[in-house]
Short mmCIF file of all heavy atoms in Angstrom, two decimals:
data_model
loop_
_atom_site.label_atom_id
_atom_site.label_comp_id
_atom_site.label_asym_id
_atom_site.label_seq_id
_atom_site.Cartn_x
_atom_site.Cartn_y
_atom_site.Cartn_z
N GLU A 1 -15.24 109.39 15.63
CA GLU A 1 -16.38 110.15 16.16
C GLU A 1 -16.55 109.86 17.65
O GLU A 1 -16.21 108.77 18.13
CB GLU A 1 -17.68 109.76 15.46
CG GLU A 1 -17.70 110.00 13.97
CD GLU A 1 -17.49 108.75 13.17
OE1 GLU A 1 -16.82 107.83 13.69
OE2 GLU A 1 -17.98 108.65 12.03
N SER A 2 -17.12 110.82 18.34
CA SER A 2 -17.47 110.65 19.74
C SER A 2 -18.63 111.58 20.08
O SER A 2 -18.95 112.48 19.29
CB SER A 2 -16.28 110.94 20.65
OG SER A 2 -15.83 112.26 20.48
N GLY A 3 -19.24 111.34 21.24
CA GLY A 3 -20.29 112.23 21.71
C GLY A 3 -21.70 111.71 21.58
O GLY A 3 -22.65 112.36 22.01
N GLY A 4 -21.86 110.54 20.96
CA GLY A 4 -23.19 109.98 20.83
C GLY A 4 -23.70 109.45 22.16
O GLY A 4 -22.97 109.41 23.15
N GLY A 5 -24.97 109.06 22.17
CA GLY A 5 -25.55 108.52 23.40
C GLY A 5 -27.06 108.56 23.38
O GLY A 5 -27.67 108.77 22.33
N LEU A 6 -27.64 108.37 24.55
CA LEU A 6 -29.09 108.39 24.72
C LEU A 6 -29.51 109.73 25.30
O LEU A 6 -28.92 110.19 26.30
CB LEU A 6 -29.51 107.26 25.66
CG LEU A 6 -30.98 107.21 26.08
CD1 LEU A 6 -31.87 106.96 24.88
CD2 LEU A 6 -31.19 106.14 27.16
N VAL A 7 -30.49 110.35 24.69
CA VAL A 7 -30.97 111.65 25.16
C VAL A 7 -32.49 111.70 25.02
O VAL A 7 -33.06 111.05 24.13
CB VAL A 7 -30.30 112.79 24.35
CG1 VAL A 7 -30.68 112.73 22.88
CG2 VAL A 7 -30.61 114.15 24.94
N GLN A 8 -33.13 112.44 25.89
CA GLN A 8 -34.58 112.59 25.81
C GLN A 8 -34.97 113.56 24.71
O GLN A 8 -34.17 114.44 24.35
CB GLN A 8 -35.12 113.09 27.15
CG GLN A 8 -34.99 112.07 28.27
CD GLN A 8 -35.68 112.53 29.54
OE1 GLN A 8 -35.99 113.71 29.71
NE2 GLN A 8 -35.95 111.59 30.44
N PRO A 9 -36.16 113.43 24.18
CA PRO A 9 -36.64 114.40 23.19
C PRO A 9 -36.53 115.81 23.73
O PRO A 9 -36.85 116.07 24.90
CB PRO A 9 -38.10 113.99 22.97
CG PRO A 9 -38.12 112.52 23.27
CD PRO A 9 -37.14 112.33 24.39
N GLY A 10 -36.07 116.71 22.87
CA GLY A 10 -35.84 118.09 23.27
C GLY A 10 -34.45 118.36 23.81
O GLY A 10 -34.08 119.53 24.01
N GLY A 11 -33.70 117.31 24.03
CA GLY A 11 -32.35 117.46 24.57
C GLY A 11 -31.32 117.79 23.51
O GLY A 11 -31.65 117.99 22.33
N SER A 12 -30.06 117.84 23.96
CA SER A 12 -28.95 118.22 23.07
C SER A 12 -27.81 117.24 23.20
O SER A 12 -27.61 116.62 24.26
CB SER A 12 -28.45 119.63 23.44
OG SER A 12 -29.45 120.59 23.26
N LEU A 13 -27.06 117.11 22.12
CA LEU A 13 -25.81 116.37 22.09
C LEU A 13 -24.85 117.12 21.18
O LEU A 13 -25.26 117.81 20.26
CB LEU A 13 -26.00 114.96 21.55
CG LEU A 13 -26.62 113.89 22.46
CD1 LEU A 13 -26.84 112.61 21.67
CD2 LEU A 13 -25.76 113.64 23.68
N ARG A 14 -23.56 116.92 21.46
CA ARG A 14 -22.52 117.49 20.60
C ARG A 14 -21.62 116.36 20.14
O ARG A 14 -20.93 115.74 20.96
CB ARG A 14 -21.71 118.54 21.34
CG ARG A 14 -20.75 119.31 20.44
CD ARG A 14 -19.78 120.12 21.24
NE ARG A 14 -19.09 121.13 20.45
CZ ARG A 14 -17.91 121.65 20.77
NH1 ARG A 14 -17.29 121.23 21.86
NH2 ARG A 14 -17.36 122.57 20.00
N LEU A 15 -21.62 116.12 18.84
CA LEU A 15 -20.75 115.11 18.26
C LEU A 15 -19.42 115.75 17.85
O LEU A 15 -19.39 116.90 17.42
CB LEU A 15 -21.39 114.47 17.04
CG LEU A 15 -22.77 113.84 17.24
CD1 LEU A 15 -23.21 113.16 15.94
CD2 LEU A 15 -22.79 112.86 18.39
N SER A 16 -18.36 114.97 17.99
CA SER A 16 -17.04 115.40 17.55
C SER A 16 -16.45 114.36 16.61
O SER A 16 -16.74 113.17 16.74
CB SER A 16 -16.10 115.58 18.75
OG SER A 16 -16.58 116.53 19.65
N CYS A 17 -15.63 114.82 15.70
CA CYS A 17 -14.93 113.92 14.79
C CYS A 17 -13.49 114.41 14.68
O CYS A 17 -13.26 115.50 14.14
CB CYS A 17 -15.60 113.90 13.43
SG CYS A 17 -14.67 113.04 12.14
N ALA A 18 -12.58 113.62 15.20
CA ALA A 18 -11.16 113.96 15.15
C ALA A 18 -10.53 113.26 13.96
O ALA A 18 -10.68 112.04 13.80
CB ALA A 18 -10.48 113.54 16.44
N ALA A 19 -9.83 114.01 13.15
CA ALA A 19 -9.26 113.49 11.91
C ALA A 19 -7.74 113.45 11.98
O ALA A 19 -7.10 114.45 12.32
CB ALA A 19 -9.68 114.36 10.74
N SER A 20 -7.19 112.31 11.65
CA SER A 20 -5.73 112.16 11.62
C SER A 20 -5.25 112.36 10.19
O SER A 20 -4.76 111.42 9.56
CB SER A 20 -5.33 110.79 12.14
OG SER A 20 -5.85 109.77 11.29
N VAL A 21 -5.40 113.58 9.69
CA VAL A 21 -4.98 113.91 8.34
C VAL A 21 -4.12 115.16 8.39
O VAL A 21 -4.29 116.00 9.26
CB VAL A 21 -6.19 114.17 7.40
CG1 VAL A 21 -6.99 112.92 7.20
CG2 VAL A 21 -7.06 115.30 7.93
N SER A 22 -3.23 115.26 7.43
CA SER A 22 -2.50 116.51 7.28
C SER A 22 -3.36 117.44 6.43
O SER A 22 -4.22 117.00 5.69
CB SER A 22 -1.15 116.26 6.62
OG SER A 22 -1.33 115.65 5.35
N SER A 23 -3.13 118.70 6.55
CA SER A 23 -3.88 119.70 5.78
C SER A 23 -5.38 119.57 6.00
O SER A 23 -6.18 119.68 5.06
CB SER A 23 -3.57 119.60 4.29
OG SER A 23 -2.20 119.75 4.04
N PHE A 24 -5.78 119.35 7.25
CA PHE A 24 -7.21 119.19 7.57
C PHE A 24 -8.02 120.36 7.06
O PHE A 24 -9.16 120.18 6.60
CB PHE A 24 -7.37 119.06 9.08
CG PHE A 24 -8.79 119.05 9.55
CD1 PHE A 24 -9.56 117.90 9.45
CD2 PHE A 24 -9.38 120.20 10.10
CE1 PHE A 24 -10.88 117.88 9.88
CE2 PHE A 24 -10.69 120.19 10.54
CZ PHE A 24 -11.44 119.03 10.43
N SER A 25 -7.47 121.55 7.11
CA SER A 25 -8.24 122.74 6.72
C SER A 25 -8.65 122.71 5.26
O SER A 25 -9.57 123.43 4.87
CB SER A 25 -7.44 124.00 7.02
OG SER A 25 -6.23 124.00 6.28
N ALA A 26 -8.01 121.89 4.46
CA ALA A 26 -8.34 121.82 3.03
C ALA A 26 -9.48 120.84 2.74
O ALA A 26 -9.99 120.81 1.61
CB ALA A 26 -7.11 121.41 2.23
N TYR A 27 -9.88 120.08 3.74
CA TYR A 27 -10.90 119.06 3.54
C TYR A 27 -12.31 119.63 3.68
O TYR A 27 -12.58 120.46 4.55
CB TYR A 27 -10.75 117.93 4.57
CG TYR A 27 -9.69 116.92 4.20
CD1 TYR A 27 -8.35 117.22 4.34
CD2 TYR A 27 -10.04 115.67 3.73
CE1 TYR A 27 -7.37 116.30 4.02
CE2 TYR A 27 -9.08 114.73 3.40
CZ TYR A 27 -7.75 115.05 3.55
OH TYR A 27 -6.80 114.13 3.23
N ASP A 28 -13.19 119.15 2.81
CA ASP A 28 -14.62 119.34 3.04
C ASP A 28 -15.05 118.24 4.01
O ASP A 28 -14.72 117.07 3.82
CB ASP A 28 -15.41 119.21 1.74
CG ASP A 28 -15.12 120.35 0.77
OD1 ASP A 28 -14.84 121.47 1.25
OD2 ASP A 28 -15.18 120.11 -0.44
N MET A 29 -15.82 118.62 5.03
CA MET A 29 -16.24 117.69 6.06
C MET A 29 -17.77 117.59 6.07
O MET A 29 -18.48 118.58 5.84
CB MET A 29 -15.75 118.14 7.44
CG MET A 29 -14.25 118.29 7.55
SD MET A 29 -13.36 116.75 7.29
CE MET A 29 -13.96 115.76 8.67
N ARG A 30 -18.26 116.40 6.35
CA ARG A 30 -19.70 116.17 6.36
C ARG A 30 -20.08 115.26 7.52
O ARG A 30 -19.27 114.47 7.98
CB ARG A 30 -20.16 115.52 5.06
CG ARG A 30 -19.82 116.26 3.80
CD ARG A 30 -20.20 115.46 2.58
NE ARG A 30 -19.69 116.09 1.36
CZ ARG A 30 -19.78 115.55 0.15
NH1 ARG A 30 -20.34 114.37 0.00
NH2 ARG A 30 -19.30 116.19 -0.90
N TRP A 31 -21.33 115.38 7.92
CA TRP A 31 -21.96 114.42 8.82
C TRP A 31 -23.10 113.76 8.06
O TRP A 31 -23.94 114.44 7.46
CB TRP A 31 -22.51 115.09 10.07
CG TRP A 31 -21.46 115.50 11.05
CD1 TRP A 31 -20.92 116.73 11.21
CD2 TRP A 31 -20.84 114.66 12.04
NE1 TRP A 31 -19.99 116.73 12.22
CE2 TRP A 31 -19.92 115.46 12.75
CE3 TRP A 31 -20.96 113.33 12.40
CZ2 TRP A 31 -19.13 114.97 13.80
CZ3 TRP A 31 -20.19 112.83 13.44
CH2 TRP A 31 -19.29 113.64 14.12
N TYR A 32 -23.11 112.45 8.11
CA TYR A 32 -24.20 111.65 7.57
C TYR A 32 -24.85 110.91 8.74
O TYR A 32 -24.27 110.79 9.81
CB TYR A 32 -23.69 110.61 6.58
CG TYR A 32 -23.28 111.13 5.24
CD1 TYR A 32 -22.04 111.74 5.06
CD2 TYR A 32 -24.11 110.99 4.13
CE1 TYR A 32 -21.64 112.19 3.81
CE2 TYR A 32 -23.72 111.45 2.88
CZ TYR A 32 -22.48 112.04 2.73
OH TYR A 32 -22.10 112.49 1.49
#
């Protein structure tokens, strides 16, 4: 994962998760 940090209320962030798997398109992905 990447993209976390400190932000003020009302602001925005974009998290990314890069996966080193084959057949990534077949995976169900979640954020917890």
Side-chain angles (χ1 to χ4, degrees):
E1 300 102 332
S2 60
L6 174 64
V7 63
Q8 292 187 343
S12 298
L13 283 175
R14 189 192 195 204
L15 304 184
S16 300
C17 171
S20 63
V21 294
S22 58
S23 303
F24 173 78
S25 61
Y27 278 76
D28 292 329
M29 302 298 297
R30 304 174 188 174
W31 286 98
Y32 286 80

